[in-house]
């Protein structure tokens, strides 16, 4: 079949069917592997290559009718492919890996012979789950994922120059378009608009740079909803330019438990402020009408049901000792009202049924769908199937297939990171998952592809991508957000500092500091000492990335770092500290207010954005999005689900000074 390249602009082909009938505007079509069907004054893509206009190809029809027709044409294997959300990262070269070499195929064959993919799976991911993730990384080829396994929702956390990124995305879409039904790929990504790349996206930062490497707490500190709306619009613009369609975020967990290791990815300790900022972000990212369309992206809200209140901050069990479960639903209600069509459950267990959220029919179906009215699709967090259910009677006693069945029958439609659609087919044939449930999941998921306009045109313009991504305007807005995110905690009049003074720095690039002052090598030679330091949590033994099951998480400001600040103060020179929380919230001793000349809180901003505030080029406006406890004893005395209940915090919520 010939390859076609058809781009029809909506403006040029805005046509009215009849004066008394509905008005249709011809959408832009992008076709490279299928022919175009003309019917009357309109054109459509012949995605299933049958020479006729099928309902799912007819953009004039309601989305529900198109989905029903498509699901009716799909095989069980094609539906199963929709129900997994694996990873493929665009490489720095921008080259598509279509298939394995013979040598790689031999290695994979040996691994398959030696592996135990369907063995018992424990809570740590051993057995089938761990091998599944390893296979995910080794088998990420276009042929395997698109043609053989029918994956149409793929997480892309790779980094690449924008033009190459766009060409890679187009190449992957061409392969999908050439498939039996021509179903396009919906590419998701974790947040990637920080001053640097975050924990999930690593490599060169090509996108416009806002505060917080992965999260929204920094931009929330600015207290500027219009800025947050613009942030959402810039994320959408730059994502779509390279062929990305969904952000796995924003994270709308409410930061009521300061020990939880992912607090810095959230908005705030206030559920109301979180909801306000979420609404602003969604207005920019999805559009104020919530219709999304070909120039916007979908949000994927996480982590259902609000993962802030973990017992002891451990990251394992959600608890509500203060009776505030509904408080943590406030942002979810706001997002659902704004037409959020994707939700991600966390790894957490709930004591409602001693099951982790993704395995719980009560949490996933009865609460999220039936009580809160969610209309979209739920996807697990990555690796949840491999971790297995947290119920003590089941831990280590289930196979990966058992876990799939429990998750899907709970009402969850997609499993993140898994790469074995054949397990779903086996479960249906064995009667463990009904075809009705499969059709429901496929229908919910396909909403994403249709509302994004991908069936009409999944392609992007590589020549324009470089001019859109990190444009001068977008960069300027990002830097403004960095400036506004800085919070002046204390100041005895030392700040703003005078430019040209002698400055000693730690944790700040001397070359950047030299643009503001004369940088000296010894504290004794300085007029001012500036220290930028993280508030890295010292975790308990065997804590891992989410703390320990017994809550052994210590977020006190490290003793050695405080002693260093005191030693610098002993030099007799004024000391300014900029605290940069990472992961958890932080504890700062009350002495910060009396023993330092000035202090700030910053969120992964450029050194220049910090120095602009220190030297008065920008007056600080930031306000704390959470309270800062004074001791670990105060943290332990708090209730995990209750906001603002730390006794005598060093800094209260909404605190922030200016000049």
């Amino acid at each position: 079949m010939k390859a076609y390249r058809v781009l029809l602009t909506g403006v040029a082909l805005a046509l009215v069917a009849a004066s008394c009938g509905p008005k249709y505007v011809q959408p832009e079509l992008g076709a490279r592997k299928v022919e175009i069907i003309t019917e009357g004054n309109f054109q459509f893509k012949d995605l299933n290559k049958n020479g006729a206009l099928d309902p799912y190809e007819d953009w004039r029809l309601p989305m529900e009718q198109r989905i029903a027709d498509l699901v009716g044409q799909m095989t069980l294997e094609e539906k199963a492919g929709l129900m997994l959300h694996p990873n493929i990262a665009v490489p720095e070269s921008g080259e598509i890996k279509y298939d394995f070499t013979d040598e790689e195929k031999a290695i994979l064959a040996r691994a398959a012979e030696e592996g135990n993919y369907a063995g018992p799976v424990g809570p740590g991911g051993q057995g089938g789950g761990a091998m599944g993730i390893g296979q995910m990384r080794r088998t990420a080829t276009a042929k395997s994922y698109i043609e053989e396994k029918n994956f149409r929702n793929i997480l892309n956390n790779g980094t690449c120059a924008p033009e190459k990124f766009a060409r890679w995305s187009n190449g992957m879409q061409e392969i999908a378009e050439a498939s039996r039904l021509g179903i396009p790929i919906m590419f998701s990504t974790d947040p990637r608009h920080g001053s640097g790349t975050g924990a999930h996206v690593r490599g060169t930062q090509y996108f416009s740079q806002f505060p917080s490497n992965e999260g929204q707490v920094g931009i929330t500190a600015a207290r500027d909803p219009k800025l947050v709306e613009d942030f959402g619009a810039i994320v959408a613009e730059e994502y779509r330019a390279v062929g990305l369609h969904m952000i796995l975020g924003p994270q709308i967990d409410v930061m009521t438990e300061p020990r939880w290791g992912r607090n810095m990815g959230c908005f705030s300790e206030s559920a109301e402020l979180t909801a306000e900022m979420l609404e602003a972000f969604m207005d920019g990212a999805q559009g104020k009408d919530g219709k999304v369309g070909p120039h916007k992206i979908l949000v994927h809200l996480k982590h259902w049901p609000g993962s802030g209140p973990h017992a002891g901050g451990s990251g394992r069990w959600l608890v509500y000792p203060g009776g505030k479960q509904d408080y943590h639903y406030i942002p979810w209600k706001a997002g659902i009202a704004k037409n959020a069509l994707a939700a991600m459950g966390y790894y957490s267990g709930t004591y409602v049924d001693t099951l982790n959220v993704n395995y719980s029919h009560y949490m996933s179906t009865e609460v999220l769908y039936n009580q809160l009215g969610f209309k979209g699709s739920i996807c697990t967090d990555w690796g949840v199937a491999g971790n297995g259910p947290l119920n003590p009677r089941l831990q280590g006693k289930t196979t990966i297939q058992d876990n799939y069945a429990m998750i899907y029958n709970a009402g969850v439609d997609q499993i993140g990171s898994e790469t074995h659609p054949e397990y779903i087919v086996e479960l249906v044939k064995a009667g463990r998952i009904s075809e009705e449930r499969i059709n429901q999941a496929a229908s919910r998921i396909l909403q994403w592809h249709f509302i994004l306009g991908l069936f009409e045109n999944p392609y992007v313009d590589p020549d324009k991508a470089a001019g859109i991504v990190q444009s001068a305007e977008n960069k300027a807005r990002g830097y403004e957000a960095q400036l506004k995110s800085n919070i002046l905690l204390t100041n005895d009049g030392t700040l703003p500092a005078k430019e040209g003074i002698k400055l000693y720095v730690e944790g700040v690039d001397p070359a950047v500091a030299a643009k503001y002052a004369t940088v000296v090598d010894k504290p004794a030679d300085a007029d001012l000492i500036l220290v930028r330091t993280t508030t890295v949590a010292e975790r308990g033994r065997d804590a891992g990335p989410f703390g320990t099951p017994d809550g052994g998480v210590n977020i006190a400001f490290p003793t050695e770092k405080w002693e260093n600040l005191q030693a610098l103060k002993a030099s007799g020179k004024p000391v300014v500290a900029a605290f940069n929380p990472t992961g958890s919230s932080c504890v700062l001793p009350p002495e910060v207010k009396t023993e330092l000349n000035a202090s700030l809180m910053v969120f992964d901003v450029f050194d220049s954005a910090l120095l602009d505030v220190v030297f008065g080029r920008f007056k600080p406006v930031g306000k704390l999005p959470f309270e800062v406890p004074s001791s670990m004893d105060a943290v332990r005395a708090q209730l995990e689900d209750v906001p603002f209940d730390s006794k005598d915090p060093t800094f209260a919520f909404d605190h922030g000074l200016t000049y």
Side-chain angles (χ1 to χ4, degrees):
M1 179 178 289
K2 295 181 179 179
Y4 289 82
R5 172 77 164 134
V6 181
L7 294 176
L8 307 176
T9 64
V11 174
L13 293 175
L15 302 173
V16 180
S19 59
C20 59
K23 296 182 178 179
Y24 298 115
V25 177
Q26 171 73 53
E28 181 179 281
L29 299 182
R32 298 189 177 185
K33 296 295 182 180
V34 300
E35 296 191 24
I36 296 296
I37 296 172
T38 299
E39 185 174 285
N41 293 320
F42 302 106
Q43 293 185 313
F44 310 85
K45 293 171 67 174
D46 185 16
L47 292 166
N48 64 2
K49 299 91 177 166
N50 67 352
L53 179 61
D54 292 81
Y56 87 92
E57 300 165 340
D58 190 341
W59 47 260
R60 297 169 299 184
L61 297 177
M63 180 173 64
E64 294 75 15
Q65 187 175 342
R66 298 180 71 184
I67 290 174
D69 176 65
L70 178 55
V71 171
Q73 294 192 41
M74 295 176 72
T75 64
L76 176 58
E77 288 76 11
E78 288 165 338
K79 296 171 193 174
L82 281 178
M83 295 171 66
L84 299 178
H85 200 138
N87 300 33
I88 294 183
V90 58
E92 187 70 31
S93 67
E95 296 177 359
I96 291 175
K97 185 175 180 63
Y98 177 72
D99 198 6
F100 296 116
T101 64
D102 291 341
E103 181 182 2
E104 289 170 332
K105 289 177 181 178
I107 293 172
L108 288 170
R110 287 197 299 271
E113 291 175 1
E114 298 169 1
N116 179 22
Y117 300 116
V121 178
Q126 65 269 26
M131 184 60 73
I133 292 175
Q135 284 295 295
M136 170 193 74
R137 293 171 180 152
R138 290 197 295 271
T139 61
T141 67
K143 180 180 179 181
S144 171
Y145 275 35
I146 301 172
E147 296 178 346
E148 298 173 352
K149 297 190 175 186
N150 302 297
F151 295 146
R152 292 299 184 273
N153 300 274
I154 296 174
L155 170 60
N156 179 2
N157 276 346
T159 60
C160 182
E163 181 181 348
K164 291 181 179 180
F165 200 134
R167 293 189 189 282
W168 182 91
S169 298
N170 285 348
M172 296 288 281
Q173 295 289 5
E174 285 189 35
I175 297 169
E177 187 180 299
S179 66
R180 190 179 76 89
L181 294 173
I183 300 172
I185 303 168
M186 191 288 298
F187 282 111
S188 67
T189 180
D190 281 286
R192 55 165 76 224
H193 271 80
S195 56
T197 53
H200 292 91
V201 180
R202 297 175 183 175
T204 303
Q205 175 57 291
Y206 291 101
F207 291 81
S208 296
Q209 296 164 290
F210 283 73
S212 301
N213 285 341
E214 188 172 18
Q216 306 83 225
V217 67
I219 201 167
T220 302
R223 293 297 197 280
D224 186 344
K226 181 60 170 65
L227 180 62
V228 177
E229 180 182 337
D230 290 349
F231 174 47
I234 288 169
V235 170
E237 179 187 35
E238 296 191 347
Y239 278 11
R240 288 307 292 254
V242 298
L244 295 169
H245 313 110
M246 173 186 283
I247 182 170
L248 297 185
Q251 192 178 323
I252 59 173
D253 309 294
V254 183
M255 306 163 60
T256 54
E257 169 47 66
R259 290 170 288 187
W260 186 44
R262 299 193 63 177
N263 278 331
M264 289 304 110
C266 304
F267 281 105
S268 174
E269 187 172 349
S270 164
E272 291 83 5
L273 181 58
T274 298
E276 179 186 5
M277 295 295 107
L278 170 64
E279 289 171 339
F281 181 85
M282 290 183 67
D283 281 347
Q286 293 201 169
K288 291 188 176 182
D289 57 7
K291 293 181 180 179
V292 188
H295 303 295
K296 293 293 183 179
I297 61 171
L298 285 168
V299 301
H300 196 140
L301 303 183
K302 62 185 186 184
H303 304 89
W304 171 252
S307 297
H310 277 102
S314 67
R316 183 163 295 234
W317 292 96
L318 294 173
V319 292
Y320 306 95
K324 291 287 188 178
Q325 188 164 358
D326 286 344
Y327 183 79
H328 291 263
Y329 292 165
I330 289 173
W332 286 92
K333 292 176 180 178
I336 291 169
K338 282 280 186 180
N339 198 35
L341 292 176
M344 182 186 297
Y346 198 52
Y347 307 91
S348 326
T350 72
Y351 289 109
V352 173
D353 49 17
T354 63
L355 287 171
N356 26 346
V357 172
N358 296 278
Y359 291 73
S360 171
H361 185 274
Y362 174 77
M363 292 306 305
S364 296
T365 296
E366 294 182 35
V367 178
L368 185 55
Y369 281 113
N370 297 343
Q371 293 182 25
L372 299 189
F374 179 60
K375 303 296 183 185
S377 182
I378 306 174
C379 179
T380 72
D381 211 327
W382 266 235
V384 163
N387 287 342
L390 287 177
N391 185 303
R393 297 188 306 275
L394 299 174
Q395 283 185 20
K397 299 176 183 178
T398 61
T399 65
I400 192 72
Q401 289 94 331
D402 293 333
N403 298 344
Y404 273 41
M406 292 180 69
I407 290 168
Y408 289 129
N409 287 327
V412 175
D413 301 320
Q414 243 185 15
I415 301 178
S417 82
E418 289 295 316
T419 60
H420 291 286
E422 67 272 17
Y423 293 166
I424 302 171
V425 175
E426 292 169 8
L427 289 165
V428 173
K429 291 181 177 179
R432 299 182 63 186
I433 304 176
S434 70
E435 289 215 42
E436 180 183 13
R437 175 71 190 96
I438 297 295
N439 290 339
Q440 180 189 50
S443 299
R444 288 173 175 169
I445 294 164
L446 283 168
Q447 291 181 93
W448 300 344
H449 303 69
F450 279 103
I451 199 169
L452 286 161
L454 299 180
F455 279 91
E456 280 62 65
N457 185 17
Y459 300 107
V460 294
D461 188 337
D463 294 332
K464 291 182 179 179
I468 294 172
V469 176
Q470 213 174 90
S471 67
E473 181 181 0
N474 291 352
K475 286 174 64 176
R477 199 63 165 137
Y479 191 73
E480 178 188 352
Q482 289 193 39
L483 291 170
K484 289 185 174 181
S485 73
N486 294 318
I487 303 166
L488 182 61
L489 297 175
T490 63
N491 185 23
D492 65 0
T494 297
L495 299 183
K498 292 182 179 180
E499 296 195 27
I501 62 172
K502 295 178 181 179
L503 180 68
Y504 174 80
V505 296
E506 291 184 2
V508 174
D509 185 347
V512 177
K515 298 177 182 179
Y516 299 79
T518 300
V519 178
V520 296
D521 296 330
K522 298 178 181 179
D525 296 334
D527 297 315
L528 179 69
I529 295 170
L530 173 63
V531 178
R532 177 172 180 167
T533 179
T534 60
T535 59
V536 176
E538 299 170 352
R539 299 187 182 278
R541 182 174 59 86
D542 299 328
F546 305 113
T548 58
D550 63 356
V553 178
N554 179 10
I555 62 169
F557 187 65
T559 301
E560 64 274 14
K561 293 189 175 185
W562 180 245
E563 290 176 347
N564 179 58
L565 289 172
Q566 289 180 311
L568 292 170
K569 180 67 175 175
S571 70
K573 302 303 174 70
V575 175
V576 177
F579 300 105
N580 197 144
T582 58
S584 307
S585 302
C586 62
V587 167
L588 292 177
E591 289 78 9
V592 166
K593 295 188 287 188
T594 58
E595 296 189 20
L596 299 176
N597 297 89
S599 60
L600 304 97
M601 186 165 287
V602 298
F603 301 97
D604 305 323
V605 300
F606 295 158
D607 285 340
S608 58
L610 166 61
L611 289 161
D612 278 352
V613 171
V614 168
F615 284 91
R617 295 185 186 181
F618 184 86
K619 293 183 179 180
V621 297
K623 304 289 184 183
L624 278 172
F626 50 88
E627 66 180 2
V628 178
S630 59
S631 69
M632 282 305 300
D633 286 340
V635 169
R636 296 184 190 102
Q638 290 181 252
L639 299 179
E640 287 92 337
D641 61 325
V642 177
F644 318 126
D645 66 334
S646 180
K647 183 179 180 181
D648 299 324
T650 300
F651 298 107
F653 168 78
D654 217 31
H655 173 78
L657 307 176
T658 191
Y659 302 142

